[in-house]
Every structure is written in C-alpha cells, then in structure tokens.
Amino acid sequence: MGKVLSFINQKGGVGKTTSAVNVGLSLAVSEIKTLIVDLDPQANATIGLSDLTEKSDKNIYDVLINETDITDAIAKTTFPCLDVVPSTNDLVGAEVELVNIMAREYQLKTALKKIVRKYDVIILDCPPSLGLLTINALTSSHAIIIPIQCEYYALEGLSQLLNTFRLVQRHLNKKLVIGGVLMTMYDSRLNLSKQVVQEVKSYFKEKLFKTLIYRNVKLSEAPSFGKPALLYDASSNGAKNYLSLTEEILQRVI
C-alpha cells in the first residue's frame, strides 16, 4: 500500500509546491509509482506540471465536494510512473462547502482508499493555511514533510502548525508522524542561512533532512515552463538537490 506524504507549511513562499513537484518527479523517474494531489486553490502544482500532464475534465474539487470518483480525476503524464490529480481555483470555496458535509475531515481519506494500493507514494501538496483542506491532508497522511525557508522568521507560525499536527494525531490520525523538515532557499554566502539551519536543527534534531535546497534561479524559472527543475535543467543545483532529497525520503520515510 502506498505511503501518503503531505508537504505542508501554512506560511506561503517556502518552496512547498516546488518540493512536492520535484520530489514527485524524482520518484517517478526511479520507477516508483507516484501520484501528486494538488490541494491548493492556487493550483501551483497543477501549473508546474502542465507541460507533462494530459487535460482532465475533473479535479480535486469534484472529488471532495461533488463526490466524483477520484479515478475520474486522475490525469496521466508523459511519465508512466507519475499521475496527477489537478486543482482549480474553485477549491477556494471548498473550505466553506466542506463544513456542511458529514465526516468532513475524512473526505480525502475516503477518496484515496480507492487508489492507495495502486501507488507506491501519494504526495499531497497542501494549501498555505490550516483550514479543512489541510486537515483532510493530515488525516489522510502517513507522514508530513515541512519545508522551511532559510530567512528571518523562519520558525514563525510553526508552533501553530505543530499544534494542529498534534491535535490531528490525537483525534483523527494516530499514526501520523513528522517525516522530516526541509530547509529551502539556502544561500551558503549568507551567515543568516547558516544560523537559521542551526536554529531549526536545535529544535527538530534528527528530523532535519541533511539535504539543503540551495537558492537556485532554475527552480524559480521551471514552473513558468510547466515542468519541474529536473526536466527544465537536469544539471542545475536545484535538480541535484531534489534528487538527493528524494534518496533521503526513500531511506527515512518510505
């Protein structure tokens, strides 16, 4: 049965979607059957994979709100081992619409039950909030991966995320664990980056991934071409960083 991993941080701009997309493709090129589910109303993962993905009439909003079978929302990509459940800005209203649905925290988990045995890994790209979409992701997951930006206030709001994690762990998903913490946008020229890594390491200890995702222009450019960095420029430091991270995730989490 597939491992379900949530890439989560309610703070925006930390490289969450970039990490989800690039790890997903890195797994797929290693012939590990992978599904990426875009749970963000901004649909950044969907856009970032658009050059590889077949068009789909259905999306994650239809699955969560209209009870569409998730198999009908899965879009194939040009990689045999990578599928995507796309998002749309219709998902903006899902937070409100989910409130009136019975067992609203389990909508995604129920949907994923139909396909979880078909994949080795299912990656959930969470929205930058701690609303019902994120709660659904946490309830469905085996582990969470927390990307943190190497900048001032890196740990700001993290206590709120960890509190939500513990509440879900206690009441909705007792098997949920922290799979790892990932430092993104690292700049070796800046003392600040090194200080932030040390601060996060002192807090999370062995949960911190050894791999650092360096600040890299190719990582920023790739989504505008609808493809992950690994395809946009496989020789870039960003692509190499994510291949290294994927190896760590395979050893530690999957």
Side-chain angles (χ1 to χ4, degrees), residues 9-11 148 151-160 199:
N9 191 329
Q10 84 271 25
K11 192 175 179 183
I148 299 177
E151 293 194 356
Y152 279 121
Y153 308 120
L155 296 175
E156 184 184 20
L158 213 54
S159 60
Q160 191 181 358
E199 186 180 3

Side-chain angles (χ1 to χ4, degrees), residues 27-179:
L27 290 167
V29 296
S30 300
E31 298 187 348
I32 294 167
K33 186 70 174 167
T34 305
L35 174 69
I36 297 175
V37 180
D38 190 351
L39 282 172
D40 190 343
Q42 296 174 81
N44 288 333
T46 303
I47 295 164
L49 291 163
S50 58
D51 191 56
L52 321 178
T53 311
E54 294 177 0
K55 296 297 180 188
S56 173
D57 293 331
K58 302 297 181 182
N59 54 63
I60 193 63
Y61 174 84
D62 296 306
V63 174
L64 295 175
I65 305 302
N66 300 328
E67 298 187 359
T68 297
D69 193 307
I70 195 167
T71 55
D72 295 330
I74 293 172
K76 298 291 181 184
T77 73
T78 51
F79 287 83
C81 289
L82 181 65
D83 293 340
V84 180
V85 176
S87 180
T88 168
N89 57 16
D90 288 345
L91 207 56
V92 170
E95 297 277 0
V96 176
E97 293 173 82
L98 278 167
V99 170
N100 297 317
I101 294 175
M102 288 288 290
R104 53 186 176 266
E105 299 91 352
Y106 294 96
Q107 284 292 101
L108 181 60
K109 185 173 185 176
T110 301
L112 290 176
K113 278 182 182 176
K114 299 175 183 177
I115 58 164
V116 73
R117 294 186 184 277
K118 296 180 181 178
Y119 294 93
D120 300 309
V121 182
I122 297 175
I123 290 175
L124 309 179
D125 183 35
C126 299
S129 70
L130 294 176
L132 273 172
L133 290 172
T134 298
I135 298 298
N136 265 266
L138 293 174
T139 303
S140 306
S141 296
H142 295 99
I144 65 171
I145 293 174
I146 309 171
I148 299 177
Q149 194 174 359
C150 290
E151 293 194 356
Y152 279 121
Y153 308 120
L155 296 175
E156 184 184 20
L158 213 54
S159 60
Q160 191 181 358
L161 169 59
L162 294 174
N163 186 48
T164 302
F165 163 79
R166 292 186 196 101
L167 286 171
V168 170
Q169 193 181 47
R170 190 177 306 134
H171 300 291
L172 299 170
N173 182 3
K174 289 181 167 52
K175 294 181 179 179
L176 184 65
V177 299
I178 296 175

